[in-house]
Amino acid sequence: IIRAAPGVPVGRVEILPLFNPNTYKPGSANPLFPGAVTALVIPDHPLEQTEPPKPDRLFLDAICRWIEPRRLVTTEIYVRAPEYLRLWVTVGVITLPGYMREIVHRDVAKAIRRYLSPLVGGLPIPDPDAALDSAECLTADADGPGWPLGMEVRTQDLAAAAVRVEGVRYVKSLRLALQKPDGALDEQTEPLRIEGLQLPWLMGVSVREGDAEDPGVFLGQAQPGGKPIPAPVLRKKC
């Protein structure tokens, strides 16, 4: 019903039955609300978009007006935007001989972004037309249904998405950081928990040969001890 709303570019809809977003508290056991239904909606958007796609007030109002005459009288329907967790990822890979590193690094960054996408992210869906024992059954181009609600973000899965890219011999290291409300980056050593209306959103990804960079480089928060970078100095003139 929501996808059929006229003039609303809906990219994804998730229905959470018995869920009341006004009383939900992350990290705690939340009661089920009979008659309550929450619809999480995401606008359609380009996959290369850098800012999290959030429905504006006009978008939400249009959906509410569309479903109001179609809902059961005893049902409370809430239409909400996702709560994005802003993530930063750095990847260190070893490229196979014969491949251009720049192209491989670009493709790895693209694969990580697609894997975390709310529209085509998550575990990839195998090609039904491919043989079960074929290497083409699961490739870097295989998309998922969008990052599932409640599925944690693991560095091992991100590394697996990178390895599926053609030209990658192996992933040497991968680092994941969560941006906190104060703007600082908190590197994650354990799987990042996703709950409620939360979804991951990749703010930036860095891929290079060898070891992964410190995620702090994105915001100038890298820890000391890295290799010095020579900077040109203009010769003084009399």
Side-chain angles (χ1 to χ4, degrees), residues 147-152 193-196 198-199:
W147 193 269
L149 295 176
M151 188 175 86
E152 71 277 5
R193 188 173 180 179
I194 303 292
E195 49 188 351
Q198 294 177 341
L199 282 175

Side-chain angles (χ1 to χ4, degrees), residues 5-222:
V8 183
V10 178
R12 177 180 172 187
V13 180
E14 290 287 345
I15 302 301
L16 291 79
L18 309 178
F19 184 89
N20 187 333
N22 296 330
T23 60
Y24 172 75
K25 296 181 180 180
S28 60
N30 291 273
L32 300 179
F33 280 81
V37 177
T38 296
L40 180 144
V41 293
I42 302 175
D44 195 15
H45 62 277
L47 296 181
E48 62 273 11
Q49 180 172 316
T50 57
E51 285 298 316
K54 287 190 175 183
D56 57 20
R57 174 53 57 183
L58 294 177
F59 187 102
L60 297 175
D61 287 345
I63 292 178
C64 289
R65 289 194 302 269
W66 175 253
I67 63 178
E68 173 60 25
R70 295 168 173 83
R71 70 177 179 87
L72 295 176
V73 176
T74 57
T75 303
E76 295 181 5
I77 301 182
Y78 302 90
V79 183
R80 291 290 188 271
E83 301 171 4
Y84 290 107
L85 300 181
R86 297 171 180 254
L87 306 181
W88 304 81
V89 176
T90 61
V91 190
V93 301
I94 301 300
T95 304
L96 285 169
Y99 286 85
M100 293 187 62
R101 291 182 175 181
E102 293 79 7
I103 296 179
V104 173
H105 296 176
R106 180 201 63 191
D107 291 345
V108 169
K110 180 180 177 181
I112 296 293
R113 185 169 296 279
R114 293 182 73 90
Y115 181 68
L116 291 171
S117 166
L119 295 187
V120 298
L123 300 178
I125 302 174
D127 184 356
D129 298 328
L132 293 179
D133 58 350
S134 172
E136 297 179 357
C137 187
L138 205 61
T139 66
D141 296 330
D143 291 329
W147 193 269
L149 295 176
M151 188 175 86
E152 71 277 5
V153 179
R154 294 176 175 269
T155 56
Q156 297 92 331
D157 286 336
L158 297 176
V163 169
R164 287 193 289 268
V165 174
E166 184 178 2
V168 175
R169 181 184 174 194
Y170 64 88
V171 174
K172 189 173 183 181
S173 59
L174 187 146
R175 302 172 71 173
L176 169 68
L178 170 68
Q179 187 169 1
K180 298 187 292 186
D182 60 1
L185 296 185
D186 182 19
E187 187 166 355
Q188 304 295 297
T189 58
E190 299 292 333
L192 178 62
R193 188 173 180 179
I194 303 292
E195 49 188 351
L197 301 179
Q198 294 177 341
L199 282 175
W201 180 260
L202 184 64
M203 295 296 297
V205 55
S206 167
V207 183
R208 72 176 184 181
E209 203 72 13
D211 293 318
E213 293 183 279
D214 185 330
V217 299
F218 289 110
L219 303 180
Q221 300 171 356

